[in-house]
């Protein structure tokens, strides 16, 4: 299947061919228009990265580069959050951020400039005979055994593949 993937920044160095799992996000570039009494209106751009598995939102500095990958379906985690929930979470996050920067009697008008569903790459690799996950955007490594337990019984979702 073809999916859009956020450009990986980090990759494990010890392994020539690590495996991976793709974690779902929806990315929004929003524009907020604030009306103000007796002052000029304010316009802000906001980039929201909405986690489609846990329904969290992070603010980004821009719209990350996306690449199309052709992958096996089993490497892709299914989103648990639908589009409307993701959009509302992005708007809520943008309003909270915008309201901390401007005083207005009104909620902002919000326009979606650009959006895309994309996946973050989590590399699965072995180091010192132990399996690890690496976040491809932050470079953080996580012991798979600590995440899922020695026998794998705590294992849920695509992390276990």
């Amino acid at each position: 299947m073809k999916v859009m993937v956020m450009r990986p920044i980090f990759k494990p160095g010890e392994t020539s061919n690590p495996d991976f799992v793709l974690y779902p996000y929806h990315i929004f570039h929003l524009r907020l228009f604030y009306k103000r009494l007796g002052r000029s209106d304010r316009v802000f751009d906001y980039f929201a990265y909405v986690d489609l598995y846990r329904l969290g939102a992070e603010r980004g500095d821009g719209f990350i580069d996306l690449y199309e990958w052709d992958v096996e379906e089993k490497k892709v985690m299914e989103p648990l959050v639908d589009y409307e929930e993701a959009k509302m979470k992005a708007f809520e996050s943008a309003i909270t951020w915008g309201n901390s920067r401007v005083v207005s009697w009104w909620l902002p008008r919000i326009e979606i400039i650009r959006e895309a569903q994309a996946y973050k790459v989590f590399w699965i690799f072995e180091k010192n005979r132990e399996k690890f996950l690496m976040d491809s955007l932050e470079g953080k490594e996580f012991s798979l055994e600590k995440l899922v337990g020695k026998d794998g019984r705590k294992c849920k979702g695509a992390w276990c593949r």
Side-chain angles (χ1 to χ4, degrees):
M1 74 188 280
K2 292 188 185 297
V3 295
M4 297 306 288
V5 173
M6 297 180 209
R7 180 182 57 86
I9 297 169
F10 296 96
K11 188 173 183 179
E14 293 183 23
T15 318
S16 60
N17 194 16
D19 201 4
F20 61 89
V21 66
L22 299 178
Y23 190 92
Y25 278 86
H26 202 98
I27 306 167
F28 293 90
H29 173 190
L30 305 174
R31 189 155 293 146
L32 289 78
F33 299 88
Y34 281 93
K35 293 179 79 102
R36 301 190 308 167
L37 285 175
R39 304 192 76 185
S40 61
D41 294 347
R42 294 288 306 265
V43 178
F44 296 109
D45 283 312
Y46 185 83
F47 300 91
Y49 290 77
V50 179
D51 181 324
L52 297 181
Y53 207 75
R54 296 178 297 169
L55 190 58
E58 294 181 52
R59 185 178 69 82
D61 294 329
F63 206 96
I64 194 165
D65 293 335
L66 301 177
Y67 297 98
E68 186 175 79
W69 282 15
D70 194 4
V71 300
E72 298 173 46
E73 192 172 339
K74 70 179 184 177
K75 295 192 182 278
V76 178
M77 291 178 67
E78 286 296 318
L80 299 179
V81 175
D82 68 22
Y83 174 77
E84 285 303 317
E85 288 176 302
K87 184 173 93 171
M88 295 317 309
K89 189 65 170 181
F91 280 26
E92 173 187 303
S93 177
I95 290 168
T96 300
W97 177 84
N99 286 351
S100 71
R101 279 146 185 77
V102 67
V103 176
S104 174
W105 284 94
W106 302 275
L107 284 174
R109 179 174 59 85
I110 301 176
E111 213 176 89
I112 298 174
I113 304 299
R114 182 178 173 196
E115 63 179 303
Q117 182 172 330
Y119 293 85
K120 183 196 281 193
V121 177
F122 279 89
W123 301 110
I124 302 170
F125 66 101
E126 202 168 295
K127 180 168 73 172
N128 301 328
R129 296 189 202 158
E130 186 179 353
K131 285 199 171 200
F132 283 87
L133 286 177
M134 176 188 271
D135 183 322
S136 68
L137 297 181
E138 296 180 14
K140 293 180 182 174
E141 295 179 4
F142 307 93
S143 165
L144 200 54
E145 186 178 296
K146 288 180 181 172
L147 289 174
V148 299
K150 286 186 180 188
D151 60 2
R153 289 188 183 169
K154 294 180 189 173
C155 194
K156 294 181 182 173
W159 299 118
C160 308
R161 295 185 181 144

